[in-house]
Amino acid sequence: MLKKRSWAEPYKIKMVEHLTMTTRRQRERAIADAGFNTFLLRSRDVYIDLLTDSGTSAMSDMQWAALMRGDEAYAGSENFYHLEEAMRRHYGYKHLIPTHQGRGAENILSRICIKPGDYVPGNMYFTTTKLHQELAGGKFVDVIIDEAHNPDSEFPFKGNCDLKKIQRLIDDVGADKIPYLSLETNVNMAGGQPCSLANIRDTAALCHKHGINVFLDATRAIENAFFIKEREPGYADKSLADILLEICSHTDGCTMSAKKDSLVNIGGFLAINDDAIADEARNLVVVYEGLHTYGGMAGRDMEALAVGIEESVQFDHIHARIGQVEYLGHKLIEAGVPIVHPIGGHGIFINAKKFLPHIPQSQFPAQALAAALYVDGGVRGMERGAVSAGRDKETGENILPSLELVRLTIPRRVYTQAHMDVTAESVMSLWDDREKIVGLELTYEPKHLRFFQARFAPINADRVLNTDVS
Ligand SMILES: *Cc1c(COP(=O)(O)O)cnc(C)c1O
């Protein structure tokens, strides 16, 4: 009888990077110095760094070799043309405008397309995307399906757009107030949850019928393609590359943070089919990023990115990448730890509301849990909840989102299965002692994207009892 075979990494390790091992004492001091914000820890104090999968992937030997082929000409670098070729082959758009990372592309797209008073629907917000839309005078409107806000729903495509919500927005404000719909694949803030191709097709058809563009946030489109291949009828025999092209074919362009899917430490791009928007973008990129043939990237970085795009669409790579995420997720599920279901593509999202029901959301349970996890095992995760959601622009009140999560994001090709075991054991030991964790209050709050630099202090147990009103 044929037994199910495990996945394994389609690579072996050629070079290692040593990690510092710290004591609990040292970590207690480090997190207090960091204002209980894992973003403010020094990386040398971190053992297993699951803060983000952004720019933290390991490049291959071929990518390192590509760095040596950097053509650092100010204009017309050969590497730009290689990158353009790779983008066209796998994403299929006409024009490439390189940017230093994803938000550079978001800035340019938002400035070109959004007028003050416009509405920009999207399938759940992403921090930098929404901020650039707002800075351009737009208002973000969430049109993701309701299942996405329910961490326990097993719906296989929780990234899908709700067509009724899009139609309602069009009816309410008029299509001329909606410059484009921002469509994210493998929705980050929902827990790395994919969209189905059927939904992408229907969403685009509805928007296009009303003359509304659809721009893809293609940051994790290939991880999304993997889930389409696994879960959507009719796609099992298609290659990831073909599915990726089909996703993009329904949209009018994309913003891309190449620091995720594309396996580089820095880089991004804007890709556009429309000639006029592309011309404007080439104009603006000079102001904010650099000339249109480098856009804030060194030639060598563009070359490594071109190679990274080719590697990123390989099935065995994504199979092992998502296999590792699922390995960690299943360990936590078996131990009864509440995490977002189904397991997403780039990380495990612990449901802090369920993990710490004794801490009200106004005391940032996910932030507190992320700090506790660092102290326990030297594992660095990050908050995705009320701190990340920020304040309502009009009322100034804290937004309390339905999802209050700690994200354990897995860098690509970096950690071993043993690192996943150690991480799971640390989470499980906190789960056993969870009532000892206390809430936090803000002691410093930056104006924009506060989660990056905010500082906190623990609220002592007595005060929680006396003043808790929520
Ligand atoms: C990371 C990310 C961005 C922003 O990209 P940067 O490269 O960090 O500027 C945009 N959208 C999504 C979904 C992301 O995950």
Side-chain angles (χ1 to χ4, degrees):
M1 215 171 50
L2 198 69
K3 287 225 183 90
K4 190 177 181 313
R5 299 285 183 98
S6 304
W7 56 271
E9 292 80 359
Y11 55 82
K12 57 185 178 177
I13 296 167
K14 172 141 53 185
M15 192 192 287
V16 298
E17 177 182 344
H18 288 284
L19 300 172
T20 9
M21 312 296 282
T22 51
T23 63
R24 188 182 176 95
R25 249 263 159 69
Q26 289 170 321
R27 294 192 294 272
E28 280 170 352
R29 200 173 316 131
I31 198 71
D33 287 347
F36 295 84
N37 184 348
T38 52
F39 273 103
L40 299 178
L41 288 166
R42 293 180 69 141
S43 100
R44 65 166 191 207
D45 295 328
V46 174
Y47 174 39
I48 299 174
D49 203 346
L50 307 183
L51 184 73
T52 173
D53 63 333
S54 178
T56 53
S57 300
M59 291 208 298
S60 67
D61 51 355
M62 299 307 273
Q63 286 179 290
W64 281 100
L67 290 182
M68 293 303 294
R69 301 208 311 271
D71 169 6
E72 307 304 343
Y74 189 88
S77 161
E78 192 57 16
N79 310 127
F80 167 79
Y81 297 100
H82 294 165
L83 176 57
E84 187 182 55
E85 233 174 82
M87 184 283 289
R88 284 183 178 155
R89 188 176 320 122
H90 291 298
Y91 292 83
Y93 301 112
K94 191 169 168 196
H95 301 281
L96 170 77
I97 292 100
T99 56
H100 78 286
Q101 57 185 88
R103 68 197 70 183
E106 292 169 351
N107 175 37
I108 291 169
L109 183 69
S110 302
R111 278 174 184 272
I112 293 172
C113 297
I114 301 172
K115 294 184 307 302
D118 278 350
Y119 295 83
V120 188
N123 49 342
M124 200 168 269
Y125 82 102
F126 184 73
T127 53
T128 58
T129 319
K130 175 167 163 248
L131 179 62
H132 281 299
Q133 292 164 358
E134 288 171 353
L135 290 172
K139 189 170 162 47
F140 167 82
V141 181
D142 191 4
V143 295
I144 204 165
I145 55 171
D146 290 339
E147 284 89 340
H149 294 282
N150 173 4
D152 299 322
S153 161
E154 292 282 359
F155 191 71
F157 292 107
K158 285 165 90 174
N160 280 355
C161 291
D162 185 332
L163 271 72
K164 289 191 297 299
K165 292 184 187 171
I166 301 172
Q167 185 64 56
R168 202 177 313 136
L169 180 69
I170 295 172
D171 295 343
D172 285 354
V173 306
D176 56 334
K177 282 254 177 272
I178 308 174
Y180 62 89
L181 177 136
S182 176
L183 181 68
E184 185 184 335
T185 30
N186 248 32
V187 179
N188 191 347
M189 302 296 280
Q193 302 294 329
C195 310
S196 71
L197 247 167
N199 185 261
I200 293 172
R201 198 183 307 121
D202 294 347
T203 298
L206 173 61
C207 289
H208 289 152
K209 190 176 92 184
H210 292 274
I212 299 167
N213 277 323
V214 177
F215 291 123
L216 190 67
D217 181 335
T219 298
R220 293 184 186 78
I222 302 164
E223 291 172 2
N224 196 123
F226 178 83
F227 286 123
I228 288 173
K229 184 176 167 76
E230 278 208 322
R231 298 176 186 171
E232 191 160 352
Y235 288 94
D237 297 328
K238 293 220 159 121
S239 70
L240 295 182
D242 284 344
I243 297 172
L244 175 63
L245 272 177
E246 191 174 335
I247 293 172
C248 296
S249 73
H250 294 293
T251 67
D252 304 286
C254 78
T255 56
M256 177 71 186
S257 170
K259 301 169 71 173
K260 317 320 182 0
D261 265 359
S262 318
L263 298 163
V264 288
N265 304 120
I266 192 73
F269 57 80
L270 175 64
I272 289 283
N273 285 336
D274 184 274
D275 297 337
I277 298 179
D279 273 344
E280 268 195 74
R282 274 189 281 263
N283 243 291
L284 274 189
V285 78
V286 185
V287 180
Y288 293 104
E289 304 280 319
L291 192 71
H292 62 278
T293 56
Y294 75 86
M297 272 189 280
R300 55 179 172 270
D301 291 330
M302 290 192 283
E303 193 64 29
L305 170 51
V307 176
I309 288 175
E310 296 296 339
E311 294 181 1
S312 69
V313 298
Q314 302 304 318
F315 175 80
D316 289 331
H317 157 63
I318 298 281
H319 188 209
R321 188 274 187 289
I322 293 181
Q324 187 177 45
V325 175
E326 290 180 338
Y327 175 81
L328 173 62
H330 285 305
K331 284 207 147 216
L332 296 179
I333 290 172
E334 275 162 33
V337 175
I339 66 170
V340 172
H341 290 247
I343 297 168
H346 65 304
I348 299 303
F349 293 68
I350 302 171
N351 183 346
K353 273 189 190 169
K354 275 205 179 158
F355 201 110
L356 302 172
H358 59 285
I359 303 181
Q361 200 175 6
S362 56
Q363 294 175 7
F364 311 119
Q367 188 79 28
L369 182 56
L373 181 62
Y374 169 71
V375 171
D376 183 85
V379 176
R380 169 156 72 169
M382 74 179 266
E383 192 260 15
R384 276 299 182 222
V387 180
S388 295
R391 292 181 184 274
D392 186 294
K393 251 184 94 192
E394 268 126 52
T395 66
E397 293 292 317
N398 276 318
I399 298 168
L400 299 179
S402 46
L403 299 181
E404 176 74 22
L405 310 173
V406 173
R407 188 179 83 174
L408 302 177
T409 341
I410 316 298
R412 297 163 187 79
R413 310 193 293 204
V414 171
Y415 291 112
T416 66
Q417 204 147 318
H419 287 118
M420 297 301 109
D421 289 339
V422 168
T423 300
E425 286 160 16
S426 184
V427 174
M428 278 140 62
S429 109
L430 288 177
W431 175 242
D432 291 339
D433 264 342
R434 54 193 178 274
E435 59 293 325
K436 289 194 190 136
I437 300 172
V438 300
L440 299 172
E441 62 188 352
L442 275 160
T443 57
Y444 165 69
E445 182 176 0
K447 200 158 149 228
H448 297 301
L449 302 178
R450 64 179 181 178
F451 58 94
F452 283 128
Q453 288 143 345
R455 300 182 71 86
F456 302 83
I459 296 175
N460 70 46
D462 293 336
R463 230 181 107 196
V464 175
L465 290 178
N466 293 337
T467 64
D468 176 24
V469 287
S470 53

